[in-house]
Amino acid sequence: MFAGLKLNAGRGAAQERDKASQAERPGRGESLRPGPAHDRLAERTRPLTGFEQAVDHYARAFSAADKQLRQDLPVLETQRQELRTSAERLDQARPGSYALMKSALQYDPETATAMTELSGRERVGELVAGMDRERAALADPNVRADRFIERWQELQAERRTLTTGWHVEARAKIDSQMKGLTKSLERDPQLESVLRNRAQELGISHIRQSQNLAREMERHIAQSRSQSLGLER
């Protein structure tokens, strides 16, 4: 067990050891910086911020309701209330966060995966990162236009399947959603500008520069309603 040990190494060896030890020490201008392992530990042990707590609250409520649906069971009223409460808490912590969370869960696969497959602090971190990615995506009016057109076309297709008198209430609900989309253009002039150049994708063959796109879309909804009523006679 003592093989290779030199108890009488001499002064020269001792000086060499001293030099090596000094070389390993940080200089006067250097600082002792914690390594990656220390950073990870600090991240795992730090308290969650108020916003992160709100994200965690919503994730727990969402998971409870989602578990019911996955088992083909109805969502309980208490779970619905918890979802509403947690959504309000999200917006109180950071205004607009609930809409951003919903959008991220719909359009960002990594966020959806994190919500269903992770838990605890790890899930919170991934959800916050997903919301950040979604915020960056929505800053691009072309992305907003793609999603607007996709949703508009979905509603149009669904509405075309409702052609009998039994579907009056369902058509009215879809009309309301389509009108809600047109109203959103009033709050987003950048989106309106992009959509004007893609009007044909909205079912509008031509729109003049002087025409209001939102009003033209509402006219299109009313025209479609009249055509549907005509088919019923």
Side-chain angles (χ1 to χ4, degrees):
M1 65 182 294
F2 299 108
L5 181 60
K6 298 179 181 179
L7 297 178
N8 298 315
R11 186 176 179 184
Q15 289 176 340
E16 290 298 321
R17 287 196 300 272
D18 289 342
K19 291 179 181 179
S21 177
Q22 290 174 2
E24 292 174 357
R25 295 179 192 142
R28 291 184 178 179
E30 297 177 351
S31 61
L32 291 172
R33 296 182 181 178
H38 181 278
D39 293 340
R40 288 193 295 269
L41 177 62
E43 175 61 23
R44 286 197 301 269
T45 57
R46 72 167 176 81
L48 294 178
T49 66
F51 176 64
E52 289 172 330
Q53 290 177 23
V55 171
D56 185 50
H57 185 192
Y58 181 81
R60 291 173 185 272
F62 184 97
S63 295
D66 184 61
K67 183 178 180 180
Q68 289 288 103
L69 295 175
R70 288 175 181 272
Q71 296 176 347
D72 293 325
L73 297 172
V75 178
L76 303 177
E77 182 55 37
T78 54
Q79 293 172 327
R80 295 181 185 277
Q81 180 58 47
E82 189 65 14
L83 273 171
R84 287 191 289 267
T85 300
S86 61
E88 292 172 359
R89 185 175 173 183
L90 264 180
D91 279 341
Q92 288 171 357
R94 190 176 294 178
S97 292
Y98 175 54
L100 195 60
M101 174 71 82
K102 288 202 306 178
S103 186
L105 288 171
Q106 181 177 358
Y107 292 106
D108 187 84
E110 292 180 47
T111 302
T113 299
M115 178 65 86
T116 57
E117 297 186 9
L118 300 181
S119 62
R121 183 183 293 270
E122 184 181 9
R123 177 171 60 183
V124 170
E126 290 299 322
L127 291 178
V128 171
M131 295 170 73
D132 289 341
R133 288 193 300 272
E134 187 63 11
R135 183 183 296 105
L138 291 174
D140 185 348
N142 292 295
V143 172
R144 300 200 299 276
D146 289 340
R147 296 181 182 181
F148 186 102
I149 292 170
E150 179 184 2
R151 182 57 180 155
W152 182 265
Q153 291 177 344
E154 286 176 353
L155 291 171
Q156 281 184 320
E158 187 176 352
R159 197 179 189 286
R160 281 195 291 268
T161 66
L162 306 175
T163 58
T164 70
W166 298 100
H167 297 143
V168 172
E169 185 175 344
R171 276 203 311 273
K173 184 177 180 180
I174 292 176
D175 285 352
S176 177
Q177 294 180 59
M178 296 177 78
K179 287 181 180 178
L181 284 176
T182 65
K183 293 295 184 184
S184 69
L185 295 182
E186 299 174 3
R187 302 186 298 272
D188 194 342
Q190 284 185 322
L191 173 60
E192 195 269 352
S193 178
V194 174
L195 288 176
R196 291 185 74 88
N197 297 323
R198 302 176 63 178
Q200 289 187 345
E201 296 176 69
L202 298 170
I204 300 173
S205 57
H206 178 72
I207 181 169
R208 294 189 297 273
Q209 190 64 34
S210 59
Q211 288 179 301
N212 182 283
L213 179 60
R215 282 200 290 270
E216 192 63 21
M217 292 171 70
E218 289 180 357
R219 190 184 67 79
H220 179 76
I221 296 171
Q223 184 179 18
S224 298
R225 184 190 306 115
S226 298
Q227 292 173 349
S228 296
L229 292 173
L231 289 173
E232 291 175 7
R233 294 194 184 97

